[in-house]
Amino acid sequence: MEMIIAIGCDHAGVELKGKIRSLLETAGITVQDFGTNNSTSVDYPDFGAKVSSMVSKNEAARGILICGTGIGMSIVANKFKGVRAALCHDTYTARMSRLHNDSNILVIGSRIVSPDIIEDIVNEWLKTDFEGGRHTKRLQKITEIEDLGGYNK
Ligand code: RB5
């Protein structure tokens, strides 16, 4: 089946998004790019929401989001039902986010991570499968929290 990955960024991530888009397309993956596409200052929630909504509605298999630190995009993405967004700084966190957390959105801080390791991070995240087993029950607990609308309701 065709794999669709939704990507998005704020002004801090435009260059890196372009690089990641090329990597994905070279790998034969269909990319839906939600912008932004230039250095004009924008608000990361607007772009994070577009990508996260695609993943939440199963209109994209996975998503990749980029902002300066990756923190803002992570906060936004994890508000969406069914989204498990992981802020990854290296291949280890990218791999573990798939193995243990079944992450479906990869978040990268463009001002944190060296451009030299981006390709390795993305490839590791793409090729690693969820391990299942004991981790399935933990994800189920996250879903239960989501279904409650949060513990504080
Ligand atoms: C933009 O300057 C910056 O705040 C944003 O890219 C991100 O790091 C927010 O978390």
Side-chain angles (χ1 to χ4, degrees):
M1 205 180 84
E2 184 191 42
M3 160 90 121
I4 296 176
I5 296 193
I7 63 173
C9 65
D10 71 358
H11 51 282
V14 174
E15 202 178 319
L16 188 53
K17 175 166 68 61
K19 182 173 178 166
I20 290 174
R21 182 179 174 153
S22 302
L23 288 174
L24 297 175
E25 287 175 343
T26 303
I29 293 166
T30 303
V31 176
Q32 283 193 27
D33 187 341
F34 288 87
T36 191
N37 294 310
N38 58 57
S39 59
T40 304
S41 181
V42 292
D43 299 328
Y44 60 81
D46 298 336
F47 297 87
K50 288 177 189 169
V51 169
S52 304
S53 168
M54 288 291 289
V55 174
S56 183
K57 291 189 287 186
N58 284 318
E59 289 172 7
R62 297 206 210 163
I64 298 180
L65 286 169
I66 306 140
C67 64
T69 58
I71 294 170
M73 286 296 197
S74 302
I75 293 170
V76 171
N78 282 310
K79 301 286 181 198
F80 283 75
K81 195 169 168 59
V83 165
R84 292 175 299 279
L87 175 55
C88 299
H89 297 317
D90 47 38
T91 53
Y92 180 73
T93 46
R95 177 173 157 76
M96 295 311 290
S97 82
R98 291 287 309 133
L99 278 177
H100 287 193
N101 313 110
D102 198 15
S103 64
N104 50 16
I105 294 189
L106 170 66
V107 188
I108 295 174
S110 62
R111 295 173 179 156
I112 310 290
V113 176
S114 159
D116 301 344
I117 61 165
I118 290 300
E119 184 166 0
D120 289 344
I121 290 175
V122 171
N123 285 338
E124 194 72 25
W125 186 72
L126 287 175
K127 76 174 188 203
T128 306
D129 290 327
F130 177 50
E131 204 172 74
R134 69 190 186 281
H135 304 292
T136 303
K137 141 180 126 202
R138 294 166 185 167
L139 297 192
Q140 182 55 39
K141 290 188 176 190
I142 294 173
T143 304
E144 285 166 16
I145 294 168
E146 265 180 357
D147 290 346
L148 280 175
Y151 273 137
N152 292 330
K153 290 239 167 115

